[in-house]
Amino acid sequence: IIHNKKTELLKSKIGAYMVDSQNRIWIGTGSPDMFFDGYALGQLYQGGVVIFDGDKWEAKNTKEMGIKSPVITRIYEASNGDVWMGVSSVTPGMEKAALFPKGALLRLSKETGEWTDYRGKEMPCIECHFVKGFYEDPNGRMYFFAANGIYYFKDGEFISVRKDNPDFSFPYGRYITARFTDSKGNLWLAAPARVARYDGKNWVSFKRKNGLPSADFHPAGFYETPEGKIVMTATNGLYTFNGNDLWEKEKVKFIFGNVRLDEQNRLWIPTYKGLLIRDGTEESLNKDLDKIYSFMEDHNGGVWALARGKGIHRYKDGSWQTFDKDNKLPADRITMIYISEKGPVWVGTNKGICKCEYE
């Protein structure tokens, strides 16, 4: 089943998605048109969100939320039921190159059902409008990672983490390439030559002197071992935190994306030469599966591997199955994947969304 702008979606391109506490799927859909084409057609700021409750789709344009902006970059539901959104008039990462850069934060109040937009003088800096991610700490405090830093929301104001932690050394939010919450509730952030940890009270930052790779080897993500050790993936290897202040390196050449430790404790390592699977002391390399950047597990013991520009591969019972534009998907470029509790997999592409059934 394919859904695109010819059916329920406002646009076929997917900017963000979220599954809320009521198991509704929120999909940010829209894209900035070319300026002159969009201006001539009156569609420069088309975009918004569609909500799927399991039976029907409900579309809401960003103009109804109080701002004309075509791209929903992030969606997050807080523990109090409020829904936060980051919106932008340009493709994320292209703010400085845009002719008319514009961004904002939107909040849908669970209590009142009204939208509030935060922009302009309400934000601590110009580049803070461009949100890269949301985080809620164990105390219910909302954080957001913006192009110009890390901020939290308190009493209707946005406050910089640096204000409370003058010695906190971490680059701008635009450089954050990975985030992870471990089994103890610690938040980990990674950027070139930097890692930050937040335990709900204090922020700690790590640099190259702590064993981290140089800025030439970007971090791709984190995972936690069964023993509780934190491992960071970088282009040139795996870095294990020793629990104090040192990161110890295991050299693995040319890692393409973040690794995955599955429920069977198999380690899936995407390299430029293919997919490396480590099962205990045994290793196998599948050279046909390259450019893998993310993994997910379904409820039937299958592992889904997302390939950049090459669709999705599913591993089950020792064999692989490929889904791409030649095999049921609208396109090869994957923008989202969600495995529902009832079984179906929702796959978003740059040409629409489809629901996939599997065994």
Side-chain angles (χ1 to χ4, degrees):
I1 302 175
I2 297 176
H3 306 275
N4 54 36
K5 65 181 179 181
K6 296 180 180 179
T7 55
E8 299 90 351
L9 302 186
L10 298 172
K11 289 277 187 172
S12 290
K13 293 185 179 180
I14 310 303
Y17 80 99
M18 175 193 75
V19 180
D20 68 15
S21 56
Q22 301 177 47
N23 287 324
R24 297 178 301 177
I25 303 175
W26 295 58
I27 299 173
T29 169
S31 61
D33 296 311
M34 291 296 292
F35 176 70
F36 293 107
D37 291 341
Y39 182 79
L41 297 174
Q43 297 178 345
L44 179 61
Y45 293 117
Q46 280 198 352
V49 65
V50 289
I51 305 171
F52 182 63
D53 63 5
D55 295 319
K56 62 182 184 300
W57 297 82
E58 177 189 357
K60 184 179 290 293
N61 198 287
T62 49
K63 288 188 291 185
E64 301 175 60
M65 306 175 193
I67 184 172
K68 294 181 179 180
S69 186
V71 184
I72 305 293
T73 59
R74 296 289 186 274
I75 310 176
Y76 183 85
E77 183 184 24
S79 59
N80 66 356
D82 290 356
V83 174
W84 290 81
M85 291 185 186
V87 300
S88 175
S89 62
V90 296
T91 302
M94 297 298 293
E95 294 88 1
K96 290 189 174 181
L99 185 62
F100 297 108
K102 180 173 63 176
L105 271 174
L106 297 176
R107 178 168 63 97
L108 174 62
S109 171
K110 173 70 173 180
E111 182 177 352
T112 65
E114 296 180 352
W115 290 93
T116 303
D117 63 288
Y118 303 95
R119 47 183 164 165
K121 295 181 180 180
E122 298 163 331
M123 306 295 286
C125 64
I126 295 177
E127 291 187 336
C128 297
H129 297 77
F130 301 101
V131 178
K132 308 299 181 181
F134 294 101
Y135 168 74
E136 184 176 4
D137 71 13
N139 302 314
R141 175 178 287 181
M142 283 296 306
Y143 286 81
F144 73 99
F145 313 121
N148 201 46
I150 304 173
Y151 299 83
Y152 63 88
F153 186 71
K154 181 180 179 181
D155 298 329
E157 296 183 4
F158 297 92
I159 303 172
S160 170
V161 167
R162 288 288 299 272
K163 182 177 180 179
D164 299 331
N165 303 266
D167 297 328
F168 181 64
S169 176
F170 201 74
Y172 294 154
R174 73 171 69 93
Y175 297 122
I176 294 176
T177 57
R179 52 178 291 191
F180 176 72
T181 303
D182 64 26
S183 59
K184 296 180 180 179
N186 296 313
L187 171 68
W188 298 83
L189 301 174
R194 292 288 191 277
V195 167
R197 182 188 65 195
Y198 176 60
D199 63 5
K201 295 181 179 180
N202 302 303
W203 288 87
V204 178
S205 53
F206 305 92
K207 308 176 184 179
R208 287 200 65 194
K209 67 178 183 180
N210 303 107
L212 294 176
S214 70
D216 296 329
F217 301 104
H218 289 199
F222 298 90
Y223 74 92
E224 186 173 2
T225 70
E227 297 78 26
K229 289 186 175 295
I230 304 300
V231 182
M232 184 190 73
T233 307
T235 311
N236 67 334
L238 302 176
Y239 292 78
T240 302
F241 184 56
N242 71 353
N244 294 316
D245 61 355
L246 188 65
W247 294 83
E248 300 169 348
K249 177 184 175 183
E250 175 194 351
K251 188 174 182 180
V252 180
K253 287 186 176 180
F254 307 121
I255 299 179
F256 189 80
N258 192 25
V259 304
R260 172 82 182 197
L261 185 68
D262 67 16
E263 294 181 356
Q264 302 180 42
N265 287 331
R266 294 175 300 190
L267 192 62
W268 302 70
I269 307 175
T271 74
Y272 282 85
K273 294 183 177 180
L275 179 59
L276 178 66
I277 303 176
R278 182 181 296 174
D279 189 356
T281 58
E282 297 182 2
E283 289 187 350
S284 60
L285 179 65
N286 191 325
K287 295 183 179 181
D288 295 330
L289 299 180
D290 60 344
K291 295 187 177 180
I292 303 296
Y293 68 94
S294 183
F295 301 93
M296 294 188 73
E297 293 179 69
D298 61 38
H299 305 292
N300 288 353
V303 176
W304 298 72
L306 280 64
R308 196 171 303 281
K310 293 186 176 182
I312 303 177
H313 309 281
R314 181 176 183 250
Y315 180 83
K316 180 71 165 55
D317 297 330
S319 61
W320 289 93
Q321 183 179 10
T322 297
F323 299 92
D324 53 25
K325 66 180 180 180
D326 298 324
N327 180 20
K328 302 179 180 179
L329 290 187
D332 287 341
R333 183 180 175 186
I334 309 302
T335 56
M336 61 158 275
I337 180 171
Y338 167 66
I339 299 176
S340 65
E341 294 182 359
K342 296 181 180 179
V345 173
W346 291 89
V347 179
T349 74
N350 61 325
K351 292 186 178 180
I353 302 172
C354 68
K355 182 173 70 172
C356 303
E357 304 285 347
Y358 62 89
E359 297 180 355

